Amino acid sequence: MKAIQITHSQELNVIEMDMPQAPSQGEVLLKLQYVGFCGSDINTFMGRNTMALNPVIPGHEVGAVIEAVGAGVPENLKPGMVVTCNPYTNCGKCASCRNQRVNACEHNETLGVQRNGAMKEYIVLPWEKIIPAGSLTPKVTALVEPMSVGFHAVSRAQVTDIDVVMVIGCGMVGMGAIVRSTLRGATVIAADIDDEKLALAKKMGAAYAVNTKTEDVHQRLQEITGGFGPDVVIEAVGSVPTYQMAVNEVAFTGRVACIGYAKSEVSLQTKYFVQKELDIRGSRNAQPSDFRAVINYMERGTCPVDELITRIIKPEEALATMRWWSENPGKVFRILVEF
């Protein structure tokens, strides 16, 4: 079967692998139809992802169909079903697992990063990691995982209908945070440096759009919030300026949820932590309930799916596409590989 393999030296190859064996006890064999390239994959391709294997088969954003099930798999999982997967592992022994927050397992290994992933024609997974996608098509299902990360951040920030929420970064994860905040009844301010992404953010539910490159961010936020600042800021970029913006602009007694990984140390005015009595919370990966919430939203049919998919490619086009993406980083939502 075909698989895509990345090394950290801007090399990508389509390789041949043996087909997986029939699923064993408690396992499910998936036929992959669409798998998304994400930000961690382009970082791996560019040699910037220190957490990834080298070489590695990428892929953890999955739209697949069940090909076969092994003994002991629950009856609700049947061949022919469209599914996605929970791509994270959990050890069951660390503090996070003990506290039932398995998405933040200290020893997590995500498909396509710390272990080989799903960007191949078939994969075998434990049935516990399989998430039925309801009426969604495999193409739409491949968008569920990245949006679920944004959904999870909204849960971490405890967003309610009386909150003004600023989401910094309107990529796929940020879009998930915008959607979930809107579904909870919050007023959402989308912030990004790209006007096209900001326009799409408004289609996804944002009430306001702020271009952080061309506008006076502080002044705009003060105008929108009546001088208070946003109650919640969700950082979905992972850069020094956006982390600083989150802490500086959030309202007194506000909440900051951090998704992005900054590539260098961030200098912050810690007096704001105390003076504002801030809650600053990390948000990592997603829970199964976040996946289900995204699927429920997608089944409504109101999501502009086609605008979230930048390109659909065949495996043989992956190298040229990744080279193009590395030269045009701001223009990509999701690239799907069709198997």
Side-chain angles (χ1 to χ4, degrees):
M1 66 175 181
K2 290 180 181 179
I4 291 174
Q5 186 181 69
I6 297 175
T7 69
H8 293 189
S9 55
Q10 301 191 42
E11 292 182 4
L12 182 152
N13 298 294
V14 179
I15 63 173
E16 287 292 329
M17 298 182 65
D18 292 336
M19 278 281 297
Q21 297 181 351
S24 301
Q25 175 84 21
E27 293 182 334
V28 177
L29 173 65
L30 300 184
K31 178 175 176 55
L32 283 306
Q33 295 200 0
Y34 294 89
V35 183
F37 272 124
C38 74
S40 64
D41 298 323
I42 191 64
N43 282 327
T44 298
F45 179 74
M46 296 294 291
R48 297 192 296 240
N49 189 351
T50 58
M51 295 186 292
L53 297 177
N54 184 21
V56 65
I57 295 171
H60 55 259
E61 302 174 359
V62 167
V65 173
I66 295 178
E67 183 81 1
V69 298
V73 172
E75 293 183 359
N76 68 305
L77 298 177
K78 302 178 184 297
M81 288 182 63
V82 177
V83 298
T84 188
C85 71
N86 182 330
Y88 323 119
T89 63
N90 56 284
C91 68
K93 300 176 182 179
C94 70
S96 300
C97 291
R98 182 180 62 185
N99 292 327
Q100 298 184 331
R101 289 165 61 178
V102 295
N103 58 291
C105 173
E106 181 180 355
H107 306 292
N108 166 66
E109 294 182 351
T110 299
L111 281 175
V113 185
Q114 295 96 340
R115 57 187 172 130
N116 282 320
M119 204 159 279
K120 52 192 176 184
E121 293 183 83
Y122 293 90
I123 191 171
V124 173
L125 295 171
W127 74 262
E128 293 91 344
K129 297 298 182 183
I130 305 303
I131 301 173
S135 62
L136 300 185
T137 64
K139 182 175 75 172
V140 176
T141 302
L143 303 178
V144 169
E145 191 275 342
M147 291 195 76
S148 73
V149 176
F151 271 47
H152 182 67
V154 172
S155 295
R156 288 285 294 140
Q158 296 178 303
V159 171
T160 73
D161 59 335
I162 63 171
D163 288 321
V164 176
V165 179
M166 178 186 185
V167 178
I168 307 176
C170 296
M172 277 294 296
V173 171
M175 290 297 186
I178 289 167
V179 168
R180 187 56 160 165
S181 297
T182 303
L183 290 173
R184 290 191 174 200
T187 300
V188 179
I189 305 167
D192 201 281
I193 61 174
D194 187 291
D195 286 331
E196 291 182 18
K197 289 185 176 181
L198 289 170
L200 183 53
K202 295 194 77 171
K203 287 186 181 181
M204 304 287 284
Y208 301 94
V210 178
N211 188 313
T212 58
K213 187 176 183 179
T214 62
E215 298 183 69
D216 185 323
V217 175
H218 179 73
Q219 180 178 336
R220 282 279 283 132
L221 293 177
Q222 291 295 294
E223 292 171 355
I224 293 168
T225 64
F228 291 107
D231 304 287
V232 175
V233 177
I234 296 175
E235 199 288 332
V237 176
S239 72
V240 172
T242 53
Y243 262 82
Q244 292 170 335
M245 183 188 299
V247 171
N248 293 346
E249 298 298 342
V250 71
F252 274 62
T253 67
R255 286 102 68 199
V256 177
C258 305
I259 308 173
Y261 281 83
K263 304 301 185 293
S264 58
E265 291 185 2
V266 181
S267 176
L268 297 168
Q269 290 288 344
T270 55
K271 68 177 182 180
Y272 291 151
F273 297 12
V274 178
Q275 289 179 350
K276 293 185 176 183
E277 200 174 49
L278 296 182
D279 290 330
I280 300 177
R281 305 170 183 180
S283 182
R284 184 181 179 194
N285 299 332
Q287 294 272 21
S289 59
D290 300 308
F291 283 81
R292 294 196 301 272
V294 174
I295 291 167
N296 182 59
Y297 160 68
M298 290 290 203
E299 284 188 310
R300 299 181 182 188
T302 58
C303 180
V305 170
D306 290 340
E307 294 185 61
L308 295 174
I309 300 172
T310 305
R311 290 187 179 182
I312 298 176
I313 64 172
K314 296 295 185 181
E316 292 76 14
E317 300 172 284
L319 175 58
T321 301
M322 293 297 271
R323 286 175 174 168
W324 168 81
W325 188 5
S326 68
E327 296 168 359
N328 299 274
K331 296 300 180 183
V332 172
F333 280 104
R334 271 304 174 269
I335 293 168
L336 301 186
V337 180
E338 182 179 9
F339 286 94

